[in-house]
Short mmCIF file of all heavy atoms in Angstrom, two decimals:
data_model
loop_
_atom_site.label_atom_id
_atom_site.label_comp_id
_atom_site.label_asym_id
_atom_site.label_seq_id
_atom_site.Cartn_x
_atom_site.Cartn_y
_atom_site.Cartn_z
N SER O 85 -14.33 -5.02 -2.56
CA SER O 85 -15.16 -5.57 -1.49
C SER O 85 -14.75 -5.02 -0.13
O SER O 85 -14.60 -5.77 0.84
CB SER O 85 -15.09 -7.10 -1.50
OG SER O 85 -15.54 -7.62 -2.74
N LEU O 86 -14.58 -3.74 -0.07
CA LEU O 86 -14.13 -3.11 1.16
C LEU O 86 -15.19 -3.20 2.25
O LEU O 86 -16.39 -3.16 1.99
CB LEU O 86 -13.78 -1.65 0.91
CG LEU O 86 -12.49 -1.42 0.11
CD1 LEU O 86 -12.43 0.01 -0.41
CD2 LEU O 86 -11.27 -1.72 0.98
N ASN O 87 -14.72 -3.34 3.47
CA ASN O 87 -15.60 -3.35 4.63
C ASN O 87 -15.04 -2.40 5.67
O ASN O 87 -13.90 -1.96 5.58
CB ASN O 87 -15.76 -4.77 5.18
CG ASN O 87 -14.46 -5.39 5.65
OD1 ASN O 87 -13.88 -4.95 6.64
ND2 ASN O 87 -14.01 -6.42 4.95
N PRO O 88 -15.84 -2.05 6.68
CA PRO O 88 -15.37 -1.07 7.68
C PRO O 88 -14.07 -1.47 8.38
O PRO O 88 -13.33 -0.59 8.83
CB PRO O 88 -16.54 -1.00 8.66
CG PRO O 88 -17.73 -1.27 7.81
CD PRO O 88 -17.28 -2.34 6.85
N ASP O 89 -13.78 -2.75 8.46
CA ASP O 89 -12.53 -3.19 9.09
C ASP O 89 -11.30 -2.81 8.27
O ASP O 89 -10.18 -2.89 8.76
CB ASP O 89 -12.54 -4.71 9.30
CG ASP O 89 -13.49 -5.15 10.39
OD1 ASP O 89 -13.84 -4.32 11.26
OD2 ASP O 89 -13.89 -6.33 10.39
N ASP O 90 -11.51 -2.40 7.03
CA ASP O 90 -10.40 -1.96 6.19
C ASP O 90 -10.05 -0.49 6.42
O ASP O 90 -9.09 0.01 5.85
CB ASP O 90 -10.73 -2.17 4.71
CG ASP O 90 -10.89 -3.63 4.35
OD1 ASP O 90 -10.07 -4.46 4.80
OD2 ASP O 90 -11.84 -3.95 3.60
N THR O 91 -10.83 0.18 7.23
CA THR O 91 -10.58 1.59 7.53
C THR O 91 -9.24 1.74 8.23
O THR O 91 -9.00 1.12 9.26
CB THR O 91 -11.70 2.17 8.40
OG1 THR O 91 -12.92 2.17 7.67
CG2 THR O 91 -11.37 3.60 8.82
N ALA O 92 -8.37 2.54 7.65
CA ALA O 92 -7.02 2.72 8.18
C ALA O 92 -6.29 3.73 7.32
O ALA O 92 -6.77 4.12 6.26
CB ALA O 92 -6.26 1.40 8.20
N VAL O 93 -5.13 4.15 7.79
CA VAL O 93 -4.21 4.89 6.96
C VAL O 93 -3.32 3.88 6.26
O VAL O 93 -2.74 3.01 6.92
CB VAL O 93 -3.36 5.88 7.77
CG1 VAL O 93 -2.37 6.61 6.86
CG2 VAL O 93 -4.25 6.89 8.48
N TYR O 94 -3.22 3.98 4.96
CA TYR O 94 -2.45 3.04 4.17
C TYR O 94 -1.12 3.65 3.74
O TYR O 94 -1.07 4.78 3.28
CB TYR O 94 -3.24 2.60 2.94
CG TYR O 94 -4.33 1.61 3.27
CD1 TYR O 94 -5.48 2.02 3.96
CD2 TYR O 94 -4.22 0.26 2.91
CE1 TYR O 94 -6.47 1.11 4.29
CE2 TYR O 94 -5.21 -0.65 3.24
CZ TYR O 94 -6.33 -0.21 3.93
OH TYR O 94 -7.32 -1.12 4.25
N TYR O 95 -0.06 2.88 3.90
CA TYR O 95 1.29 3.31 3.58
C TYR O 95 1.95 2.32 2.63
O TYR O 95 1.66 1.13 2.67
CB TYR O 95 2.17 3.38 4.83
CG TYR O 95 1.65 4.26 5.94
CD1 TYR O 95 0.76 3.76 6.88
CD2 TYR O 95 2.08 5.57 6.07
CE1 TYR O 95 0.30 4.55 7.92
CE2 TYR O 95 1.63 6.37 7.11
CZ TYR O 95 0.74 5.85 8.03
OH TYR O 95 0.30 6.64 9.06
N CYS O 96 2.85 2.80 1.82
CA CYS O 96 3.70 1.91 1.06
C CYS O 96 5.14 2.07 1.53
O CYS O 96 5.53 3.09 2.07
CB CYS O 96 3.59 2.16 -0.45
SG CYS O 96 4.28 3.74 -1.01
N ASN O 97 5.92 1.02 1.33
CA ASN O 97 7.32 1.06 1.69
C ASN O 97 8.00 -0.17 1.09
O ASN O 97 7.36 -1.03 0.51
CB ASN O 97 7.53 1.10 3.20
CG ASN O 97 8.77 1.89 3.60
OD1 ASN O 97 9.85 1.69 3.03
ND2 ASN O 97 8.63 2.79 4.57
N SER O 98 9.30 -0.22 1.24
CA SER O 98 10.08 -1.38 0.85
C SER O 98 10.65 -2.00 2.11
O SER O 98 10.13 -2.98 2.63
CB SER O 98 11.18 -0.99 -0.14
OG SER O 98 11.96 -2.11 -0.51
N ASP O 99 11.71 -1.41 2.60
CA ASP O 99 12.31 -1.82 3.87
C ASP O 99 12.25 -0.62 4.81
O ASP O 99 13.00 0.33 4.64
CB ASP O 99 13.74 -2.26 3.65
CG ASP O 99 14.43 -2.74 4.91
OD1 ASP O 99 13.86 -2.61 6.01
OD2 ASP O 99 15.56 -3.26 4.79
N PRO O 100 11.34 -0.65 5.79
CA PRO O 100 11.21 0.50 6.70
C PRO O 100 12.49 0.85 7.45
O PRO O 100 12.61 1.98 7.93
CB PRO O 100 10.11 0.05 7.67
CG PRO O 100 9.31 -0.94 6.88
CD PRO O 100 10.32 -1.67 6.05
#
Side-chain angles (χ1 to χ4, degrees):
S85 301
L86 288 165
N87 61 68
D89 289 338
D90 296 317
T91 295
V93 178
Y94 284 71
Y95 304 86
C96 68
N97 212 312
S98 179
D99 181 352

